[in-house]
Amino acid sequence: MNIIHAENIQKSFGDFEAVKGVDFKVPQGTCVGLLGPNGAGKTTTMRMIMGLSSLSAGSLKVFDTPVDKVTRAEKMKIGLVPQEDNLDPDLSVRQNLEIYGSYFGLEKSFIQQQADSLLEFMQLGEKANNRVNHLSGGMKRRLIIARALIADPEFIILDEPTTGLDPQARVLIWKSLLKLKDQGKTLLLTTHYMDEAQRLCDNIVIVDGGKVLDEGSPKELISRHVKNHVFEVQKPVPEALQDSDIDHEDIGDSVLYYVNNPDKVKHLLPDGITYTQRVSNLEDVFLRLTGHKLRE
Amino acid sequence: MFFSIPNIAALMNRYYIEYRQLIGAFFFGDVLERVMFFIAFGMGLGRAVAQIDGVDYITFLAPGIAAGSGVFIMAVATTYGVSNRYEGSAIWQSWLATPVRLQDILLSELIFNMLRATPSLVILYIVAYFFDAVPSVSGAILSLPVLMFANLVYGSITLNMGVYLGRMLYFRYIQALWVMPMYLFSGVFFDIKEAPEWMQVFANIFPLYHVLEVVRPLVLGRPVDLAQALISFTVLSVIFVVAFCLAYNQFKKRLFD
Amino acid sequence: MFFKTVYALWYRHFLTWKTMFWSSLTSNVFNPLLFLFSFGFGMGAIVENIEVGGQVVDYLVYIVPGMMAYSGMFTASFETSISAFARYYMQSYWDQVLATPAMLHHLMMGEILWASTKAMFAVVCVLLVGYLFEGVVLDWSILWVLPVMFLGCFCFATCGMVATSFAKSFEMFSYFFTFWVTPMFIFSGVFFPVDRFPEMVQWLAYLLPMTHLVDIVRDLSVAGVMDAGVLMMKLAYIAFVAVVAYAVAYRNMKHRIFD
Ligand SMILES: Nc1ncnc2c1ncn2[C@@H]1O[C@H](COP(=O)(O)OP(=O)(O)O)[C@@H](O)[C@H]1O
Ligand SMILES: [Mg+2]
């Protein structure tokens, strides 16, 4: 079963088309990543799924129900981790969870039980009675994730869950997300960190300029677009390499060559040429598909 | 020198650009509110109060509203406005990374807001003139510099209150414990001399009361007690200098420690 | 479910307000005290003849009902304008709520009912202060005043919501206060009878729901009686403004948030 089924969804703000026809599915029990540079339309897509933004065109089904007809019971099954930290600054850490839970109309005893276990799950127990503005960035993020889990949702949407955090904080969040996956929850996540997508996602949808560029598992995407190895060769590139039919891309000061067998490039490189060689990764796919120019 | 004129000029230009963008909101807030107060209270109480201090109520009211208008504008600007700039948007910090210094910023805030409050004074007098409520036009014109100076003094006082209280949450105490009492008990709406005795004593603590003691006779075209005016002016000047230095020190602590 | 959710939203505000109960009580008592002293005693000494329902009353007695209505009006207006906008715009509180099963209707009703509650607190404070200084008599007719005041506060809270639904920045509220709140403070009979104004101004004053509210509250609390037909008409008008304002605010907000 698909938790989300988006067909050609579009969103315009006045004349500006932020999302220009996006298709993707989120099968139950999987983690799908929406990958794209800033301004690609990721947040807008998430907001449409949550019913926080109406569709300009297309069809979007959430739990097999068109998004504008989603019932209260269905909405209870979704948890959202928004991109911006929007904790309630007037409340303590624990109250943030409890009061948020009350908006779902949940029983008090259930909320308290959930709050206890989530504070522990996100390692926030010590801070339970602190004001939220005294929390560090990483703690705030963990609290927002805990908050999204208050109604024990089946499906969790995470918009850039680790942007701006230090490596330790990110690893901690990844661990808890993997645990959620093990519990059988479905995740939809946006990020522009490739390591994050590679670790967490079963399937990746690369978007840019409001359009889907490609999708597949991380492995599929890598072998489809950037082979196994990447060579970055400084200009001027040797003639022999220039004349070869190896898949390559000019990025200004240097040229990238993508090959399955590294020897194929190596023997065309005379001594004294500056180059780097590495195993290709999702980052190469991403840059190749979305271009190397600076965004926004 | 303690202040730098080019720095202050640069800052004034910066405030002016902001002012121009929000001119509608500022203008209505500053000017129209006061004019409405003047007309409404002048008409509304005019018939209930036959004569006060020997003149029509509306004539009595005009200098009161004029003198009181700056109190509100300066208070809001030097508390909420200032706090927003050094804590909210932290724009002061970016200025302080240039040759602009703290004293330049503080003085510019005061002067700019005083200037901003001035058109509403002029417009108020013009409206009052059409209601036949300005017996001495030259007196009204003479009262303008007095009121401009008074606005600087009010601003320097609330600037201190704001920085010592620190948090925006507490600023409403300034409104409740200083601004409103001053406005209500300094003789803006009624003659303090006819009020109960305790109120007459109480009024003395408010600068607005002393300012009105000078401004009201001026606008009503009556002789001003010059000795008294000089004493008031000296006291207000001292208050201004002391308040400015105190505020400067406290801001220095808050921003640089 | 509707009430449970609205209650949850109301409770969130109540919870944060509770931590500031004492400061809130102090300012709600202090502010009317200032006005009652200044206007009641200072102005009262020079005001000569002021009437309610044909009988001449003390100026203090005259302004206590006005101050009640004013405190309620101001508190309700402020809460759904500046405060609600801060929650909407600066704290993304609205986004947070709308990501849960709560809907925009719940959210708006939660804000409005909370603002009305807070306003009623202010009203009761003025009532008690007025009573202490013998500006108002506490008897059974006061029990009629409170529900009427609640309707009034509800109406002002909804109107504040309209301002919030249009506002793009805090500065915009300057218009709301200048053209709506302040006129209701000075032209609606809080301090002096509306019939002192030229006909045109009176006409405009009676478009403001505040003028009707002040009329009702003053007649009920000072004279203790009011013509039932007139009372009904005035209440209906206040309710009508509230309904229209709610519809406008809802439409606007919906458009703004979801489109
Ligand atoms: N409410 C809005 N009004 C106008 N433009 C918007 C609005 N929300 C987003 N946009 C624009 O839509 C584009 C996509 O934004 P967003 O979905 O936030 O991108 P992402 O999350 O992928 O960084 C951006 O160019 C952004 O400026
Ligand atoms: Mg985004």
Side-chain angles (χ1 to χ4, degrees):
Chain A
M1 186 190 128
N2 287 321
I3 303 278
I4 299 290
H5 190 167
E7 282 178 305
N8 192 29
I9 56 173
Q10 294 174 30
K11 178 76 196 180
S12 313
F13 298 106
D15 289 339
F16 177 72
E17 292 175 76
V19 177
K20 301 174 187 154
V22 162
D23 302 82
F24 68 95
K25 290 177 189 154
V26 180
Q28 188 165 29
T30 62
C31 174
V32 173
L34 276 185
L35 223 65
N38 288 335
K42 305 182 297 291
T43 300
T44 309
T45 306
M46 303 239 154
R47 290 178 63 85
M48 287 194 278
I49 295 173
M50 287 308 296
L52 292 172
S53 186
S54 58
L55 266 69
S56 304
S59 129
L60 177 58
K61 285 187 180 152
V62 182
F63 296 110
D64 274 339
T65 313
V67 70
D68 52 344
K69 302 211 167 53
V70 164
T71 62
R72 190 183 168 90
E74 283 164 336
K75 192 116 189 245
M76 306 263 298
K77 295 194 284 189
I78 314 177
L80 174 71
V81 176
Q83 180 176 350
E84 314 284 333
D85 286 347
N86 67 355
L87 292 164
D88 200 323
D90 299 329
L91 303 177
S92 72
V93 167
R94 204 192 155 83
Q95 283 175 331
N96 253 284
L97 296 178
E98 291 179 350
I99 294 293
Y100 195 75
S102 74
Y103 304 154
F104 286 78
L106 299 167
E107 288 305 319
K108 230 180 176 154
S109 57
F110 177 76
I111 294 177
Q112 279 174 354
Q113 200 183 320
Q114 277 290 93
D116 285 332
S117 69
L118 288 170
L119 286 172
E120 195 182 328
F121 180 61
M122 283 294 162
Q123 303 184 20
L124 289 164
E126 284 164 32
K127 299 280 174 185
N129 296 317
N130 286 34
R131 279 279 166 131
V132 293
N133 16 6
H134 300 315
L135 299 183
S136 70
M139 288 183 195
K140 278 190 185 154
R141 225 49 204 148
R142 264 141 59 201
L143 180 55
I144 293 183
I145 296 176
R147 193 183 69 180
L149 300 175
I150 192 77
D152 195 19
E154 284 173 28
F155 174 45
I156 302 139
I157 298 181
L158 303 111
D159 198 354
E160 302 193 14
T162 67
T163 298
L165 302 186
D166 62 31
Q168 286 84 351
R170 298 180 64 203
V171 170
L172 213 149
I173 288 180
W174 290 341
K175 275 194 186 148
S176 41
L177 295 184
L178 287 172
K179 268 189 213 152
L180 291 174
K181 238 176 105 175
D182 287 343
Q183 291 167 18
K185 312 257 187 222
T186 310
L187 305 182
L188 172 62
L189 138 121
T190 75
T191 181
H192 42 236
Y193 293 125
M194 306 304 138
D195 47 347
E196 184 163 297
Q198 205 146 9
R199 256 178 214 236
L200 299 173
C201 300
D202 305 307
N203 212 26
I204 287 174
V205 181
I206 298 186
V207 287
D208 190 17
K211 283 199 151 119
V212 174
L213 299 180
D214 199 5
E215 66 176 294
S217 70
K219 270 206 187 116
E220 280 168 14
L221 288 171
I222 292 170
S223 70
R224 194 177 314 153
H225 295 283
V226 292
K227 311 288 182 334
N228 287 334
H229 290 266
V230 193
F231 285 79
E232 179 164 1
V233 184
Q234 292 286 312
K235 284 183 180 171
V237 177
E239 297 253 327
L241 200 53
Q242 267 181 33
D243 295 341
S244 72
D245 60 351
I246 300 170
D247 191 8
H248 66 278
E249 192 186 357
D250 191 328
I251 57 166
D253 290 340
S254 52
V255 181
L256 299 174
Y257 287 88
Y258 305 104
V259 283
N260 280 323
N261 178 4
D263 293 337
K264 220 174 144 189
V265 172
K266 264 192 187 146
H267 84 266
L268 293 174
L269 288 169
D271 288 342
I273 292 282
T274 324
Y275 74 95
T276 54
Q277 176 206 347
R278 57 192 155 75
V279 175
S280 38
N281 59 28
L282 212 46
E283 188 128 4
D284 299 306
V285 178
F286 185 77
L287 288 175
R288 183 141 208 219
L289 286 176
T290 61
H292 292 260
K293 276 197 238 63
L294 193 64
R295 294 318 167 97
E296 299 198 321
Chain B
M1 207 173 93
F2 190 63
F3 296 109
S4 145
I5 307 289
N7 286 349
I8 291 176
L11 288 176
M12 298 301 257
N13 184 42
R14 145 79 183 65
Y15 290 122
Y16 174 65
I17 292 171
E18 181 185 336
Y19 181 75
R20 238 179 13 197
Q21 284 164 8
L22 295 171
I23 190 150
F26 275 139
F27 185 81
F28 286 121
D30 295 353
V31 180
L32 215 61
E33 294 244 336
R34 299 301 129 200
V35 170
M36 278 198 300
F37 257 81
F38 169 68
I39 296 179
F41 277 84
M43 278 187 185
L45 285 172
R47 241 187 281 167
V49 182
Q51 284 248 310
I52 177 169
D53 199 10
V55 293
D56 277 350
Y57 184 68
I58 197 163
T59 311
F60 177 84
L61 190 64
I65 298 274
S69 68
V71 175
F72 285 96
I73 297 176
M74 295 306 286
V76 172
T78 54
T79 56
Y80 291 98
V82 160
S83 156
N84 193 16
R85 279 206 255 269
Y86 79 92
E87 287 202 324
S89 66
I91 189 83
W92 279 18
Q93 278 83 341
S94 79
W95 298 346
L96 287 167
T98 73
V100 168
R101 291 159 313 161
L102 183 57
Q103 61 267 38
D104 303 327
I105 298 182
L106 292 177
L107 190 66
S108 307
E109 286 277 356
L110 290 174
I111 295 182
F112 171 75
N113 286 300
M114 177 271 280
L115 290 177
R116 186 194 126 192
T118 304
S120 65
L121 287 177
V122 177
I123 293 178
L124 193 84
Y125 278 139
I126 294 175
V127 173
Y129 181 79
F130 282 108
F131 278 82
D132 229 356
V134 184
S136 163
V137 174
S138 57
I141 292 171
L142 268 180
S143 77
L144 287 177
V146 177
L147 291 176
M148 287 163 76
F149 172 67
N151 284 345
L152 283 180
V153 178
Y154 307 143
S156 70
I157 295 172
T158 42
L159 190 64
N160 270 288
M161 295 180 169
V163 68
Y164 278 99
L165 285 176
R167 291 182 55 194
M168 232 187 234
L169 191 64
Y170 302 137
F171 290 171
R172 54 201 191 117
Y173 294 116
I174 303 174
Q175 205 74 21
L177 299 175
W178 175 250
V179 176
M180 279 317 274
M182 173 147 83
Y183 195 62
L184 291 174
F185 296 104
S186 293
V188 168
F189 293 103
F190 48 87
D191 193 2
I192 287 289
K193 284 182 206 70
E194 288 185 40
E197 187 105 16
W198 60 265
M199 220 185 266
Q200 297 188 25
V201 178
F202 187 50
N204 272 292
I205 61 172
F206 298 121
L208 178 56
Y209 169 75
H210 300 281
V211 171
L212 265 175
E213 287 291 278
V214 177
V215 168
R216 189 164 274 142
L218 261 181
V219 179
L220 295 183
R222 293 178 183 169
V224 179
D225 181 347
L226 274 182
Q228 191 58 44
L230 206 64
I231 294 176
S232 296
F233 178 73
T234 316
V235 173
L236 289 182
S237 307
V238 171
I239 291 180
F240 178 75
V241 173
V242 172
F244 190 89
C245 294
L246 281 176
Y248 174 75
N249 271 324
Q250 187 64 17
F251 272 111
K252 213 162 127 185
K253 271 194 205 136
R254 277 200 74 135
L255 292 168
F256 305 132
D257 283 357
Chain C
M1 220 10 133
F2 183 83
F3 290 104
K4 194 168 175 187
T5 311
V6 171
Y7 173 73
L9 293 158
W10 179 91
Y11 184 76
R12 181 253 168 232
H13 297 320
F14 177 69
L15 193 66
T16 58
W17 177 80
K18 222 169 54 176
T19 61
M20 300 191 298
F21 174 79
W22 290 108
S23 85
S24 175
L25 180 72
T26 318
S27 58
N28 273 321
V29 168
F30 193 73
N31 195 42
L33 267 181
L34 283 182
F35 272 92
L36 294 184
F37 270 104
S38 169
F39 277 85
F41 299 127
M43 202 73 209
I46 53 174
V47 168
E48 283 157 0
N49 46 359
I50 214 138
E51 293 181 3
V52 178
Q55 69 191 90
V56 176
V57 294
D58 250 9
Y59 191 55
L60 185 68
V61 172
Y62 183 82
I63 58 169
V64 167
M67 280 307 296
M68 263 164 70
Y70 167 65
S71 287
M73 186 273 288
F74 188 84
T75 311
S77 304
F78 193 90
E79 190 64 18
T80 51
S81 60
I82 305 240
S83 303
F85 186 72
R87 290 192 281 266
Y88 165 68
Y89 189 74
M90 315 257 290
Q91 308 175 356
S92 5
Y93 161 76
W94 289 46
D95 260 8
Q96 190 196 121
V97 172
L98 291 172
T100 73
M103 320 269 269
L104 187 56
H105 275 305
H106 299 130
L107 186 48
M108 286 178 53
M109 269 299 168
E111 293 284 340
I112 291 169
L113 286 174
W114 167 248
S116 317
T117 312
K118 202 172 164 185
M120 284 309 285
F121 179 73
V123 169
V124 172
C125 286
V126 181
L127 183 64
L128 295 179
V129 170
Y131 172 70
L132 282 182
F133 290 92
E134 298 178 356
V136 65
V137 202
L138 284 189
D139 63 14
W140 292 111
S141 63
I142 287 297
L143 286 185
W144 290 106
V145 170
L146 294 179
V148 170
M149 277 301 313
F150 189 84
L151 176 71
C153 293
F154 184 90
C155 172
F156 299 126
T158 352
C159 294
M161 212 69 207
V162 174
T164 298
S165 75
F166 280 104
K168 294 208 164 51
S169 70
F170 279 106
E171 281 78 17
M172 297 285 177
F173 288 106
S174 160
Y175 297 103
F176 173 64
F177 279 86
T178 305
F179 290 107
W180 181 252
V181 175
T182 304
M184 292 204 287
F185 180 44
I186 55 185
F187 290 109
S188 286
V190 170
F191 293 104
F192 31 78
V194 175
D195 62 20
R196 304 280 160 93
F197 294 118
E199 194 128 341
M200 238 275 286
V201 179
Q202 284 188 40
W203 212 82
L204 289 174
Y206 273 102
L207 284 180
L208 301 171
M210 180 73 171
T211 314
H212 299 280
L213 183 70
V214 172
D215 270 0
I216 301 175
V217 172
R218 185 167 284 137
D219 276 3
L220 284 184
S221 60
V222 177
V225 285
M226 191 172 188
D227 182 85
V230 175
L231 178 69
M232 282 303 147
M233 287 283 286
K234 285 178 182 289
L235 287 177
Y237 180 70
I238 296 172
F240 169 75
V241 173
V243 170
V244 172
Y246 187 84
V248 172
Y250 181 78
R251 248 185 65 116
N252 238 323
M253 265 299 172
K254 192 172 160 190
H255 182 68
R256 201 168 155 178
I257 294 178
F258 298 108
D259 281 355

